[in-house]
Amino acid sequence: MKLAVVGGGSTYTPELIDGFARLRDSLPIEELVLVDPAADRLELVGGLARRIFAKQGHPGVIRTTSDVDAGVADADAVLLQLRVGGQAARNQDETWPLECGCVGQETTGAGGLAKALRTVPVVLDIAERVRRTNPNAWIIDFTNPVGIVTRALLQAGHKAVGLCNVAIGFQRKFAKLLDVAPTEVHLDHVGLNHLTWETGVRLGGPGGDDILPRLLAEHGDAVAADLRMPREIVDRLGVVPSYYLRYFYQHDAVVEEMRTKPSRASEVAAMEQELLKMYGDPALDEKPELLAKRGGAFYSEAAVDLAASLLGNGGSPYQVVNTVNNGTLPFLPDDAVIEVQATVDGKGAKPLAVPKLDPLYAGLIAHVTGYEDLALQAALHGGRDRVFKALLAHPLVGQYTYAEQLTDRLIAHNREHLAWA
């Protein structure tokens, strides 16, 4: 079995490598190719990756290359975890929207749109290269904004499934609070990528008892603290919102908070420099503890589980993925991409049935889906007017004056990445 990781020079890659090594019975990799244009980073990350495999006795061969075509050739699955423009572009995404009083964030709002515009054309180019060399290969997308990127891949006819670590993070935290094995916790997880709610927490599977009320009653303070939201919000909702809902439920307070501290991108950039120094140490043969602060917890385990299912090597019976709606949420277009529990096998992901949603959640999901449709059109076809309409449609922008100002700032800060600008 051959896997390729595009964006393999990321400082996060050793977390993925560690998962591949520990869970090799689920995903027997014979060849793993790390693909990245940054040769200096790739050499450091590739060296540590080989040492991790060697220490854990994994027989697979790890290769590195900056040649996408060579890297993905004959791969059974290709994982996408790239960041167009690097942390410098992310830092801009997180700062210039604040000038207009709007949240600055890399996956939602104006910053999220900027990332989508930079990313979608690059991802589609890579996917076409994958299709040319192996049309049967699966593409697993972890590249943000996952919902928009996965929708672009699926609409272009690629075999793709989107993946996010929010759900597995909740599963592991809830299991710890409840003192049960993570495999015992099944989430009624519904929404769009980075716009989701846990409307139920069941023990044993989809038909198990819903113990969410008990979880909130006994551990509400811990849950709310993890979300960085007041417990009152969680108690009044009676569900567990993704921490990304902070940007919607507490928008103005979050903007003020962001204005008073360094951007997350600047923090991550400093962390990455330290990690790269560590990776260059030939004595290091395991992922360092600092990597846990980098973000993306449990992604490696979710990625292994998903790849194993898609490639016919077992995998969990139910997994939270980003996949095509096809009537699962009847108030959305069939071609929308949603994030829900699904069964996954060699044919792809099939969402489980979702009970009728409260308008409090369905309304916001529909609103953001409309924005995502406009964002994808802007990413595919370009043009100032398309960018403006997407911003005007986003519930975190919504006002004509803000949309005008943000459009100009977005284009100015991303001109080098936008072929049409």
Side-chain angles (χ1 to χ4, degrees), residues 46-343:
L48 175 57
R50 295 186 185 97
R51 295 192 297 273
I52 291 174
F53 261 32
K55 181 180 182 180
Q56 299 197 31
H58 195 297
V61 174
I62 295 178
R63 295 194 298 108
T64 60
T65 181
S66 58
D67 186 332
V68 174
D69 293 312
V72 304
D74 302 319
D76 297 288
V78 177
L79 280 67
L80 304 180
Q81 56 170 36
L82 55 144
R83 181 182 295 280
V84 180
Q87 293 299 329
R90 176 182 179 175
N91 187 64
Q92 293 181 350
D93 295 343
E94 294 176 344
T95 51
W96 55 262
L98 297 175
E99 299 169 4
C100 300
C102 295
V103 159
Q105 214 278 329
E106 65 157 341
T107 62
T108 191
L113 175 60
K115 192 173 195 303
L117 297 182
R118 294 193 303 269
T119 304
V120 166
V122 175
V123 165
L124 289 178
D125 176 68
I126 293 169
E128 285 299 328
R129 294 166 184 262
V130 173
R131 180 151 55 189
R132 285 199 298 268
T133 183
N134 184 3
N136 294 317
W138 279 102
I139 295 175
I140 298 174
D141 177 60
F142 191 60
T143 297
N144 283 320
V146 168
I148 295 173
V149 172
T150 302
R151 189 172 183 181
L153 288 166
L154 291 172
Q155 288 188 357
H158 297 288
K159 294 177 60 176
V161 180
L163 183 63
C164 179
N165 70 320
V166 167
I168 193 172
F170 276 135
Q171 181 199 45
R172 299 307 168 88
K173 290 167 185 173
F174 294 165
K176 186 175 181 179
L177 291 172
L178 296 166
D179 195 25
V180 299
T183 53
E184 287 295 304
V185 176
H186 177 92
L187 302 176
D188 291 346
H189 180 101
V190 63
L192 311 176
N193 180 241
H194 290 185
L195 191 87
T196 53
W197 297 263
E198 311 308 325
T199 59
V201 178
R202 302 180 184 277
L203 294 182
D209 292 335
D210 182 9
I211 51 86
L212 178 58
R214 185 186 113 201
L215 176 72
L216 294 180
E218 297 177 0
H219 304 285
D221 287 342
V223 171
D226 186 61
L227 299 173
R228 296 173 63 193
M229 294 184 191
R231 178 168 178 176
E232 178 186 4
I233 294 177
V234 180
D235 285 342
R236 293 189 71 176
L237 292 176
V239 303
V240 180
S242 159
Y243 41 82
Y244 288 93
L245 267 298
R246 289 185 72 228
Y247 305 121
F248 295 82
Y249 294 161
Q250 299 172 278
H251 177 274
D252 292 353
V254 172
V255 167
E256 290 306 310
E257 174 188 310
M258 288 179 166
R259 283 172 165 166
T260 60
K261 66 179 187 178
S263 69
R264 174 61 178 166
S266 64
E267 295 174 351
V268 171
M271 199 181 304
E272 287 193 335
Q273 292 306 308
E274 190 172 348
L275 285 169
L276 289 170
K277 290 179 182 178
M278 292 179 177
Y279 295 172
D281 180 358
L284 183 67
D285 56 7
E286 60 186 12
K287 62 178 182 179
E289 291 184 10
L290 178 61
L291 188 55
K293 299 179 181 179
R294 169 68 177 79
F298 308 115
Y299 164 50
S300 61
E301 296 175 35
V304 168
D305 206 13
L306 178 54
S309 295
L310 293 172
L311 298 177
N313 286 280
S316 301
Y318 310 106
Q319 298 172 45
V320 173
V321 296
N322 284 262
T323 191
V324 68
N325 179 42
N326 275 344
T328 305
L329 300 181
F331 55 88
L332 296 184
D334 282 346
D335 65 349
V337 165
I338 59 175
E339 186 172 293
V340 292
Q341 286 276 8
T343 57

Side-chain angles (χ1 to χ4, degrees), residues 4 13 22 77 162 251 294 374:
T13 296
R22 288 186 294 102
H251 177 274
R294 169 68 177 79
L374 293 168

